[in-house]
Amino acid sequence: MSRPFQIEIAESEEELKKCLQTVSLGNQKEKLQMLWWLKSGQVNQQQEIGKRLARDTSTVTRWLQKYKSGGLSGLLEVKKAPGAKRKIDDAAIAALQQELKTGKGFASYGAIVEWLKQEHGQDIEYATVYALVRYRLGAKLKVPRPQSHKQDEKLVSEFKKNSVSYSIV
C-alpha cells in the first residue's frame, strides 16, 4: 500500500482563485489549478490530478515538491537560460566604442571586422559586428561625404556665412 497523500497549502482558496485568474502562462495555470483543486478538496490523489491535467504523476510529484520547498513563488518560478557567451570581449568592445566616437570613423562594417582582427586578434563575423555596432552600441558609421579637391575653401566658407537656414514650423 502506498503512503497517504497529504500536503499543506498555505494560501487560501480565494487567493489561489485570484492568482489563477490573473496568471497568463499556461504552465502556471495548470500548477495553480492543481493547488486550487487540492485546497478546495475536489481532488485528493496524485493520479487523479495527473488525469485531469493530462500530465504524468511524476510531473505532479515534481510540482508538489517544488511547492513544498519554495512555496507558491518557487512553484511558479520561470527559469531563463543564461544565453551564449559573447564572441567579442569587453576590452575590444570598449576600444571599438572609443574608435567610433572619434571623428575618423570606419568606412564600412567590413572595415570594423578587419580592425578587430588586426588590433585585437578576434575573427568575428560581419553579421555579429553589424548587430553589435548598430543595435547594442547604437552607433552608425559616420564617414564624411566626398568633396572635390578643386573646391575653393574661401567660397565654401562665404557660402556658409551668407546662406539662410529656414526652419519649418
Side-chain angles (χ1 to χ4, degrees):
M1 186 131 177
S2 64
R3 291 184 297 171
F5 178 65
Q6 293 177 338
I7 185 165
E8 285 294 320
I9 299 172
E11 293 78 21
S12 68
E13 260 186 83
E14 291 79 29
E15 285 179 59
L16 291 172
K17 197 166 191 173
K18 193 180 287 185
C19 287
L20 191 57
Q21 291 169 348
T22 58
V23 77
S24 60
L25 297 175
N27 194 7
Q28 290 178 339
K29 274 191 189 277
E30 288 180 331
K31 293 172 182 178
L32 284 168
Q33 185 72 51
M34 171 189 70
L35 291 178
W36 185 71
W37 283 335
L38 288 169
K39 187 68 174 185
S40 64
Q42 295 180 26
V43 177
N44 55 8
Q45 291 184 346
Q46 281 183 304
Q47 292 82 4
E48 193 174 338
I49 296 170
K51 283 179 187 175
R52 283 188 177 194
L53 293 174
R55 297 284 187 160
D56 191 55
T57 53
S58 62
T59 303
V60 174
T61 304
R62 190 174 58 250
W63 288 353
L64 291 171
Q65 286 173 347
K66 277 186 181 179
Y67 179 74
K68 282 180 186 176
S69 64
L72 190 60
S73 60
L75 177 67
L76 300 178
E77 179 184 16
V78 178
K79 294 184 179 176
K80 189 173 184 271
K85 186 180 160 231
R86 284 211 175 100
K87 295 180 181 180
I88 304 173
D89 62 4
D90 292 336
I93 291 173
L96 176 61
Q97 205 165 17
Q98 282 298 107
E99 195 70 23
L100 287 168
K101 284 182 182 176
T102 63
K104 189 172 50 170
F106 291 99
S108 67
Y109 292 102
I112 297 174
V113 171
E114 289 300 316
W115 180 81
L116 283 170
K117 194 181 290 184
Q118 290 172 359
E119 297 292 319
H120 296 279
Q122 294 188 341
D123 192 19
I124 309 296
E125 292 180 12
Y126 178 92
T128 306
V129 169
Y130 178 81
L132 171 77
V133 171
R134 187 75 180 93
Y135 301 115
R136 182 153 177 259
L137 299 179
K140 293 181 182 177
L141 299 183
K142 294 178 181 134
V143 178
R145 288 182 156 184
Q147 294 180 350
S148 173
H149 64 282
K150 298 176 189 175
Q151 198 168 330
D152 187 10
E153 293 294 323
K154 186 178 175 186
L155 289 173
V156 171
S157 64
E158 191 176 314
F159 174 77
K160 286 182 180 177
K161 275 193 256 177
N162 296 333
S163 67
V164 179
S165 61
Y166 295 99
S167 61
I168 300 174
V169 179

